[in-house]
Amino acid sequence: RPTTPRCAILAMRPKNGVNPLPPPPHRSPPPLPPSPPPPPPAFPPFAPSLPFGVPVAGAVPPFLFLAPLSPSFSSSFPSSSPFFAASQTSQSLTSTKTLVSQPRSFSSTATLPMIKVVPVPQLNDNFSYLVVDESTSTGVVIDVAEPAAVIAAVEAENIKLPYLLTTHHHADHCAGNGAIVKKFEGINVVGGDKRIPELMKFVGNGDSVQFGDLIVKVFFVPCHTRGHVIYYIENPVDEKPGVVFTGDTLFIGGCGYFFEGDGEQMHRAMEVIGSLPDDTLVYCGHEYTLSNFKFALSVDPKNPHLLKKNEWAKAVRESGGFTIPSSVGDEKAINPFMRVGDATIKAAVGSVSDSDVATMTKLRETKNSFKSS
């Protein structure tokens, strides 16, 4: 195949520091396999999971396994449902995607073709991530607060590290930048906000960075902070699902505070993320899932997908596991901040006649004052 530069900025920076936000291109999910899925295997103590995130040891509901869903379970979702689509798509991922559940003090590792994601727990509930292109032994790290754990993960993989990607300037996502720059000679710190420590490459919406054979696409999503970006990583030569790192914009079942933005900006950010393929894996910046689900159920109490995933998340957390990754399809089905066009969500926080932006604003205000018991 043609030789591709290993580390290059593929697009020019925004002019005058302005980040235009054109509508993201629509990408259709991969076509469903023509043959019906085989029956699921016997449940192992640890198993891959799609689309419901990191699995838990022991007795787990059958829908948590990567094996295609049983006909009886799949039939409970319409064919257009992201859950149904993911269950069919999982056949093509079985031989290449693995998720291993381990005790809380260790990280769980997800592997897609050529893309390996190693979550590195930070502070009380933060995540840093190491992403590896296994075909070239090249990687990037994302959002470093505590550098020692990240350095250990990089050294364990024995890879080249050309970039540190930072989603936003808050200290729990970038306090370790200086130590990483000092440790790894030649590394470039990438971000969309000049307040980020050690920033070397300023990027904006539509910019791309390449490491190994993988492309990192930058989406500008101001609201949580005015310079927040998210990173979508894919292999451009195949049609496998990519992975998106959403920082503090999108969480599993929730979204970040509007510290430097408003409801219109967060609504736009949810549209940007929602435009990615449904089987895109979502890695967020914090383990907030259970608290987010408590609020989500208060405004969407009869959502069957949310009810099922809430029970699964409880089991995962009780076992010491993490609920990452989610998927774009999951979030569109369970996350109220991605469902502000739904009449149930509108009525819960205002009126069904409210605009989606008004509902987003009211939903965040309601969440800000929500007291979980």
Side-chain angles (χ1 to χ4, degrees):
R1 60 185 175 190
T3 301
T4 305
R6 292 297 184 225
C7 305
I9 296 293
L10 300 185
M12 296 297 292
R13 300 178 181 176
K15 294 183 179 179
N16 301 321
V18 176
N19 291 291
L21 192 59
H26 176 74
R27 292 180 55 186
S28 300
L32 301 182
S35 59
F43 299 159
F46 296 100
S49 95
L50 185 73
F52 288 93
V54 179
V56 57
V60 189
F63 58 82
L64 301 184
F65 294 92
L66 180 61
L69 305 181
S70 65
S72 62
F73 187 83
S74 297
S75 63
S76 66
F77 298 106
S79 60
S80 60
S81 163
F83 297 89
F84 181 87
S87 73
Q88 307 302 306
T89 305
S90 67
Q91 293 182 91
S92 64
L93 300 178
T94 303
S95 63
T96 55
K97 173 177 179 292
T98 59
L99 287 169
V100 182
S101 179
Q102 299 182 13
R104 184 172 174 78
S105 58
F106 296 88
S107 63
S108 301
T109 300
T111 303
L112 293 165
M114 299 173 62
I115 306 177
K116 181 177 183 179
V117 178
V118 182
V120 184
Q122 305 268 279
L123 305 173
N124 293 325
D125 51 36
N126 279 71
F127 292 111
S128 178
Y129 296 99
L130 170 62
V131 186
V132 181
D133 174 13
E134 294 192 297
S135 68
T136 62
S137 297
T138 306
V140 297
V141 291
I142 301 170
D143 283 1
V144 179
E146 296 180 312
V150 175
I151 290 170
V154 173
E155 291 178 341
E157 294 292 333
N158 191 28
I159 57 171
K160 301 182 292 290
L161 198 66
Y163 293 111
L164 189 168
L165 310 178
T166 304
T167 60
H168 62 293
H169 78 285
H170 288 164
D172 60 330
H173 292 259
C174 62
N177 285 13
I180 296 295
V181 169
K182 184 177 180 180
K183 176 66 176 179
F184 299 102
E185 183 178 357
I187 193 170
N188 291 280
V189 178
V190 176
D193 193 320
K194 294 182 179 179
R195 294 172 290 180
I196 293 171
E198 307 291 339
L199 182 67
M200 301 170 186
K201 293 187 180 295
F202 180 83
V203 292
N205 193 68
D207 282 349
S208 297
V209 171
Q210 181 169 345
F211 68 99
D213 293 328
L214 304 181
I215 301 295
V216 183
K217 296 182 179 180
V218 180
F219 293 93
F220 181 55
V221 288
C223 184
H224 182 69
T225 68
R226 64 178 180 265
H228 201 300
V229 298
I230 62 175
Y231 299 103
Y232 176 70
I233 301 179
E234 65 177 353
N235 178 356
V237 300
D238 66 27
E239 297 183 355
K240 303 297 183 183
V243 294
V244 63
F245 298 88
T246 58
D248 284 1
T249 293
L250 176 73
F251 301 122
I252 300 177
C255 75
Y257 285 107
F258 302 177
F259 284 133
E260 297 179 353
D262 55 27
E264 183 175 5
Q265 289 177 314
M266 185 58 76
H267 180 245
R268 178 58 179 154
M270 295 298 104
E271 289 185 326
V272 169
I273 296 169
S275 73
L276 297 173
D278 281 352
D279 51 4
T280 301
L281 297 182
V282 176
Y283 290 90
C284 56
H286 292 267
E287 180 60 62
Y288 289 162
T289 302
L290 290 183
S291 63
N292 284 342
F293 283 174
K294 286 181 181 179
F295 173 72
L297 286 167
S298 76
V299 297
D300 199 9
K302 296 182 180 180
N303 183 330
H305 311 311
L306 176 58
L307 289 166
K308 284 186 173 81
K309 190 155 186 178
N310 182 52
E311 292 305 311
W312 168 81
K314 288 179 181 178
V316 169
R317 297 300 290 139
E318 287 173 0
S319 74
F322 300 115
T323 57
I324 53 168
S326 184
S327 71
V328 168
D330 269 23
E331 295 308 305
K332 288 159 73 171
I334 67 171
N335 191 325
F337 293 93
M338 295 194 78
R339 290 167 46 76
V340 294
D342 187 273
T344 299
I345 305 299
K346 289 181 180 293
V349 297
S351 168
V352 292
S353 63
D354 287 340
S355 69
D356 291 355
V357 170
T359 299
M360 174 67 78
T361 301
K362 293 177 180 179
L363 188 64
R364 183 66 253 184
E365 291 172 349
T366 304
K367 175 72 159 62
N368 291 348
S369 59
F370 179 72
K371 303 294 183 183
S372 59
S373 56

